[in-house]
Amino acid sequence: MSIYIDPAVASSLRGFEMPEKLGFGKVMAPVMFRAVCQDGCWSRGELLPYAPLALDPAAKVLHYAQSCFEGMKAYRVQGGGVGLFRPERNAARMVHSAERLCMPPVPESLFMDGVRTVSAYCANLVPANSGESLYLRPFLMGTQPDLSVSTSSTCEFYVIASPSEAYHPGNMRLWVERENARAALGGTGDSKVGGNYAASLLSVARLKERGYDQSLWLNPGNRRTVDELSGMNFFAVLDGELHTPALNGSILEGVTRDSLIELARDLGYRVREREIDIDELLGQVESGRCEEAFACGTAAIISPISVFGDGEREYRPAKAPGPVAERLRAALLDIQEGRAEDRFGWMQAVEAVGE
Amino acid sequence: MSIYIDPAVASSLRGFEMPEKLGFGKVMAPVMFRAVCQDGCWSRGELLPYAPLALDPAAKVLHYAQSCFEGMKAYRVQGGGVGLFRPERNAARMVHSAERLCMPPVPESLFMDGVRTVSAYCANLVPANSGESLYLRPFLMGTQPDLSVSTSSTCEFYVIASPSEAYHPGNMRLWVERENARAALGGTGDSKVGGNYAASLLSVARLKERGYDQSLWLNPGNRRTVDELSGMNFFAVLDGELHTPALNGSILEGVTRDSLIELARDLGYRVREREIDIDELLGQVESGRCEEAFACGTAAIISPISVFGDGEREYRPAKAPGPVAERLRAALLDIQEGRAEDRFGWMQAVEAVGE
Ligand SMILES: Cc1ncc(COP(=O)(O)O)c(C=O)c1O
Ligand SMILES: Cc1ncc(COP(=O)(O)O)c(C=O)c1O
């Protein structure tokens, strides 16, 4: 199905002025992609000027959080073009999230139409400094006006975008969260759904008061092994090997995590996916066996962890950033920004429109 | 602060036609109450015609489920007036929910202004049959347009309303949910936040295929004791005594639950709040020691449970509805609908406007 391009899109784009300071997810690109699913049938995709959505006050998303999303980036690649990084993985993850919340999955072709169209029309808005990008936010929500707790007959899919700096530039101080949980065992932890993030806010507000940056979430089943951060997966370097929590149903399967595993193996590192006991890990940080630890995600790329705070104690990996994190970060960014050969076939070029 | 009444409210109300068939939460009253909190300061409350909300596509509620709500009813009382049932309890619970999601609590006076104003202007829309009511839906959501996972600087509070039939008229077939969870230990189970309900949809969709009506959620910590239903609390009658799960941090503290405990004690029943082991309970249903079980909530009032399905087996309480449920239901409705003396001081009269 062809995509409808609203005639007002051109003037929205012409009228847009890029602010000096970008931040992350604060400046919104002046267009949005939209498609509606009514009783299982998807409308044609449309590119429209960015504008407020008209939502019925009884729309399910506002009451029952029937919403899921993705986070991905359009990169400025060496030579001036624009590229997407493994977008089919985000499309697949969004199918999984939608199914967890009983929403109609967004067909991969529609998802790709959305992210490609927005990137193509906003090619001029993709910032050029390394680490910066056009952050893309596909999202899907139930909009049927009906106060009963049940699945929505109408869902709307959007892609919006934000020219952004890197998310977490510095080292991170993590708080080992032993009380709160972001998602339950048998819950929604392996899906990218709104409720997980709402549930994480209080923990983050509390740890900020204590001088920390992010919660380190433990598994809600055993409350003993490491799961992940609120928006990033976790890696530790032990005796020169990379260790990351195995996918267990409560961890989001990060595209960055998956890519780093492949990249690290290719660079000759041994990588182990396993249960990581938090007390054991803190002991290994203390003894020096764990020399470095880092978190990874699309937004943050790779962020070194400088401190683990646990109750009254603090544990500091010897190196933050450590050499493994630095090497992987450079290798990944080199592929994403087109300085290195795309030897895994991860990049998809986007043809700019209207320049 | 005085409440602003939009001049268009009168014509919205005049133009409203009550449909023959109401259903639950399907027909929306033609007005809504609104107030906005910007950086901790609340605006004046406004009564407006019911209309779509204009939400920025990057509003936090759409991505991170920063939203909580209440469910309560305006009742047609004997003699023709309108009454609210323990509204201050809903106001307090909404404070709790807002704090769990790092939103500014709605001040009790503003909450009461909202529910009283909507009920007063919609007094003509409160249906008159016993069990029917004007369902009131206060809700609060984060609306700041910003894609970072953080608390919203702007929140909006609304009260909308729906003339409704009773929610679950018949007996319920429950499914003992041993896999999925609606909320985590240390999560948001004791708050009325959107994410809990989104997480429950898949379980409900699956059990409907098997011929059941509702999931019976077990405690996410021990996966062995009964918590509640997706929108109701749980009671069992054992040897003539009432047993209900004790509040444990993952159960919503229902206003109906609390009222039934008080009412039952007043009627001479012994009531115990305790951990209820699901296997023990199913055994007691089988042996006949548990003669009846029921669920309760504002929407459903009291709904008898006719079957517990667990894997391949089914357990049927001898009586559905049982005499205790019937007696309590009648006693509660008699107070709410003004046929019995309000001996606990639970009712608040609402003065109708504009009749
Ligand atoms: C909870 C959570 N874990 C991990 C990640 C990292 O995933 P990805 O590398 O696909 O961005 C994210 C961010 O998307 C996340 O929200
Ligand atoms: C999860 C949950 N439990 C219990 C209840 C019952 O609470 P109440 O009696 O206040 O309506 C509700 C409904 O509000 C609910 O959503």
Side-chain angles (χ1 to χ4, degrees):
Chain A
M1 232 178 339
S2 72
I3 297 157
Y4 170 77
I5 311 289
D6 190 303
V9 157
S11 66
S12 297
L13 284 164
R14 264 198 315 275
F16 181 76
E17 272 186 50
M18 192 80 122
E20 285 272 314
K21 178 99 188 82
L22 292 178
F24 183 86
K26 303 237 177 307
V27 176
M28 302 309 301
V31 298
M32 61 188 189
F33 182 88
R34 177 175 190 266
V36 178
C37 184
Q38 176 71 45
D39 297 315
C41 291
W42 281 97
S43 74
R44 180 179 179 190
E46 306 174 311
L47 189 71
L48 307 170
Y50 188 86
L53 312 180
L55 275 184
D56 194 287
K60 303 252 188 204
V61 59
L62 304 180
H63 301 265
Y64 307 126
Q66 206 185 12
S67 67
C68 62
F69 65 97
E70 274 304 320
M72 50 202 295
K73 287 175 173 174
Y75 299 86
R76 171 73 56 200
V77 298
Q78 190 103 341
V82 169
L84 296 173
F85 181 75
R86 309 184 78 186
E88 70 290 350
R89 285 235 146 200
N90 297 92
R93 191 166 66 186
M94 198 161 191
V95 168
H96 176 75
S97 302
E99 286 173 346
R100 182 61 182 82
L101 297 193
C102 299
M103 289 192 282
V106 178
E108 181 177 317
S109 60
L110 180 63
F111 185 97
M112 291 304 304
D113 279 353
V115 294
R116 294 186 74 88
T117 306
V118 169
S119 308
Y121 278 80
C122 295
N124 273 332
L125 309 185
V126 182
N129 295 324
S130 177
E132 297 182 349
S133 61
L134 182 70
Y135 182 75
L136 297 168
R137 169 54 60 89
F139 64 103
L140 174 68
M141 59 188 181
T143 53
Q144 186 191 359
D146 176 353
L147 295 179
S148 63
V149 181
S150 58
T151 61
S152 187
S153 56
T154 314
C155 289
E156 299 183 21
F157 171 61
Y158 290 88
V159 181
I160 57 176
S162 170
S164 291
E165 295 166 21
Y167 190 48
H168 278 290
N171 286 355
M172 288 189 305
R173 296 169 53 84
L174 291 200
W175 176 256
V176 178
E177 178 54 76
R178 295 197 185 252
E179 276 171 40
N180 272 257
R182 64 184 276 281
L185 210 67
T188 54
D190 69 352
S191 304
K192 209 162 165 68
V193 305
N196 298 343
Y197 300 85
S200 76
L201 294 172
L202 185 61
S203 168
V204 175
R206 285 191 186 146
L207 66 86
K208 290 235 153 111
E209 285 170 17
R210 301 193 194 102
Y212 292 89
D213 301 308
Q214 289 277 329
S215 318
L216 180 62
W217 299 102
L218 302 182
N219 186 269
N222 61 39
R223 301 191 132 208
R224 191 181 49 72
T225 61
V226 175
D227 267 358
E228 59 176 333
L229 282 68
S230 298
M232 294 175 241
N233 292 114
F234 178 84
F235 279 85
V237 183
L238 275 169
D239 302 326
E241 289 178 9
L242 279 158
H243 293 239
T244 192
L247 301 174
N248 58 9
S250 68
I251 295 178
L252 192 78
E253 185 170 352
V255 179
T256 317
R257 173 188 179 282
D258 185 82
S259 308
L260 288 182
I261 291 174
E262 204 163 329
L263 199 51
R265 286 190 175 136
D266 184 72
L267 293 174
Y269 292 101
R270 192 160 162 211
V271 184
R272 290 185 54 197
E273 300 178 62
R274 63 169 180 94
E275 281 203 335
I276 299 181
D277 185 284
I278 182 64
D279 295 319
E280 207 171 288
L281 177 71
L282 295 177
Q284 287 160 334
V285 170
E286 196 164 34
S287 74
R289 257 193 78 192
C290 172
E291 280 209 317
E292 54 173 308
F294 58 87
C296 71
T298 297
I301 317 173
I302 285 185
S303 295
I305 295 161
S306 55
V307 174
F308 293 87
D310 183 26
E312 299 296 299
R313 297 205 50 186
E314 292 199 336
Y315 301 81
R316 293 164 198 277
K319 299 174 185 163
V324 180
E326 291 209 302
R327 188 161 170 215
L328 289 175
R329 184 188 159 94
L332 182 62
L333 265 179
D334 282 350
I335 293 177
Q336 291 171 329
E337 297 177 347
R339 286 180 298 271
E341 189 205 334
D342 177 21
R343 60 195 190 281
F344 304 101
W346 283 341
M347 299 303 293
Q348 290 192 15
V350 172
E351 190 107 21
V353 170
E355 281 178 61
Chain B
M1 234 178 339
S2 72
I3 297 158
Y4 169 78
I5 310 290
D6 190 303
V9 157
S11 68
S12 298
L13 285 163
R14 264 197 314 274
F16 181 76
E17 272 187 51
M18 193 81 121
E20 286 271 315
K21 178 101 188 82
L22 291 177
F24 183 85
K26 303 236 177 312
V27 176
M28 302 309 299
V31 298
M32 63 187 187
F33 182 88
R34 176 175 190 265
V36 178
C37 185
Q38 176 72 45
D39 298 314
C41 291
W42 282 97
S43 75
R44 182 180 178 188
E46 305 174 312
L47 190 71
L48 307 170
Y50 189 86
L53 312 181
L55 274 183
D56 193 286
K60 304 250 188 203
V61 60
L62 303 179
H63 302 265
Y64 307 125
Q66 206 185 13
S67 67
C68 62
F69 65 97
E70 275 302 321
M72 51 204 294
K73 287 175 173 174
Y75 299 86
R76 172 73 55 201
V77 297
Q78 189 105 341
V82 170
L84 297 173
F85 181 73
R86 307 184 79 185
E88 70 291 348
R89 284 234 146 200
N90 297 92
R93 190 166 65 187
M94 197 161 192
V95 167
H96 176 75
S97 302
E99 286 173 345
R100 182 62 182 83
L101 296 193
C102 299
M103 287 193 282
V106 178
E108 182 177 316
S109 59
L110 180 63
F111 184 97
M112 292 303 305
D113 279 353
V115 294
R116 294 186 74 88
T117 306
V118 170
S119 309
Y121 278 80
C122 296
N124 274 332
L125 310 184
V126 182
N129 294 325
S130 178
E132 298 182 348
S133 61
L134 182 70
Y135 182 74
L136 297 168
R137 169 55 59 90
F139 64 103
L140 174 69
M141 59 188 182
T143 53
Q144 186 191 358
D146 175 354
L147 295 179
S148 63
V149 182
S150 57
T151 60
S152 187
S153 56
T154 313
C155 288
E156 299 183 22
F157 170 61
Y158 290 88
V159 182
I160 58 177
S162 170
S164 291
E165 294 165 23
Y167 190 48
H168 279 290
N171 285 353
M172 290 188 305
R173 296 170 52 84
L174 292 199
W175 177 257
V176 178
E177 178 55 76
R178 295 196 185 254
E179 276 172 39
N180 271 256
R182 63 185 277 281
L185 208 68
T188 53
D190 69 352
S191 305
K192 209 163 165 65
V193 305
N196 298 344
Y197 300 85
S200 76
L201 294 172
L202 185 61
S203 168
V204 175
R206 286 190 186 146
L207 67 86
K208 290 232 153 112
E209 285 171 19
R210 300 194 198 102
Y212 292 90
D213 302 308
Q214 289 277 329
S215 318
L216 180 62
W217 299 102
L218 302 182
N219 186 269
N222 61 40
R223 301 191 132 208
R224 189 180 52 72
T225 60
V226 174
D227 268 357
E228 59 176 335
L229 282 68
S230 297
M232 294 176 241
N233 292 113
F234 178 84
F235 279 84
V237 183
L238 276 169
D239 302 327
E241 290 178 7
L242 279 157
H243 293 238
T244 191
L247 301 174
N248 59 7
S250 68
I251 295 177
L252 192 77
E253 185 170 353
V255 179
T256 317
R257 172 187 181 281
D258 185 82
S259 308
L260 289 181
I261 291 174
E262 205 163 329
L263 199 51
R265 287 190 175 135
D266 184 72
L267 293 174
Y269 292 101
R270 190 159 164 212
V271 184
R272 290 185 54 194
E273 300 178 62
R274 64 169 179 93
E275 281 203 334
I276 299 181
D277 185 284
I278 182 64
D279 295 318
E280 207 171 288
L281 178 70
L282 295 176
Q284 288 160 334
V285 170
E286 196 162 37
S287 75
R289 256 194 78 193
C290 172
E291 281 209 318
E292 53 173 308
F294 59 86
C296 71
T298 297
I301 314 173
I302 286 185
S303 295
I305 296 161
S306 56
V307 174
F308 294 87
D310 183 26
E312 299 296 300
R313 298 205 48 190
E314 291 199 338
Y315 301 81
R316 294 166 197 274
K319 299 174 184 161
V324 180
E326 292 210 301
R327 189 163 169 214
L328 288 175
R329 184 187 159 95
L332 182 62
L333 265 180
D334 282 350
I335 293 177
Q336 291 172 331
E337 297 177 347
R339 287 180 297 273
E341 189 205 334
D342 177 21
R343 60 194 190 282
F344 305 101
W346 283 341
M347 299 303 292
Q348 290 191 16
V350 172
E351 190 108 20
V353 170
E355 280 178 60

